[in-house]
Amino acid sequence: MAGYTSGSNVIGYEAEHGVKTEMVSLVADVALTDGQYVDIPSLSIPHGGIVQCVNGRVIEGVSGATSFNVGVSGTPGLWATGVAVAVGTTWRGVTYSPIGFSYGPVPVRITSNDNPFAGGVLRVALYYSLCAVPEG
């Protein structure tokens, strides 16, 4: 089994017949403009992705909403609920059981708990793994 690094955000191991496992870390600064939710296309979970966690920090105070959730469409609080809007607030959205996405890509979604967003910036990190199908 050989280890490899592909860019600064992917660490992987590869065995014979193309069998490999990759751990991927992605981060994005997300502006919360007018709206009830914001999808983050640059933080999308690919087909077959297994999410370990979605963590983040408020880097510019959020206005409009008084708290927010972190998840995906259909499950808005999958990784965090009721996150405060003040600068410096953090959340650690650990997945306690493996959550695999058999469809994709699925963007991480930030959803207001009440009023539409009117401003603010979050730094959001997505951590997931991928397991390759053996080659023929």
Side-chain angles (χ1 to χ4, degrees):
M1 183 177 287
Y4 65 91
T5 300
S6 174
S8 62
N9 66 336
V10 178
I11 296 174
Y13 296 94
E14 186 167 355
E16 61 183 315
H17 304 294
V19 173
K20 63 182 173 180
T21 302
E22 294 181 332
M23 295 294 299
V24 181
S25 304
L26 302 173
V27 65
D29 287 355
V30 181
L32 301 175
T33 56
D34 185 40
Q36 199 64 32
Y37 65 87
V38 175
D39 284 334
I40 311 169
S42 62
L43 298 182
S44 287
I45 305 149
H47 171 78
I50 302 168
V51 177
Q52 281 73 44
C53 59
V54 178
N55 299 337
R57 172 182 305 274
V58 178
I59 58 175
E60 290 182 20
V62 176
S63 58
T66 59
S67 68
F68 61 89
N69 296 336
V70 181
V72 294
S73 175
T75 314
L78 185 58
W79 294 292
T81 58
V83 180
V85 297
V87 172
T89 298
T90 61
W91 72 90
R92 186 175 305 269
V94 176
T95 302
Y96 293 101
S97 296
I99 297 177
F101 286 78
S102 58
Y103 54 94
V106 177
V108 171
R109 176 176 282 188
I110 309 297
T111 304
S112 169
N113 282 320
D114 48 24
N115 305 311
F117 294 117
V121 178
L122 309 177
R123 182 161 292 145
V124 182
L126 166 63
Y127 303 86
Y128 65 87
S129 61
L130 290 170
C131 302
V133 174
E135 296 172 350

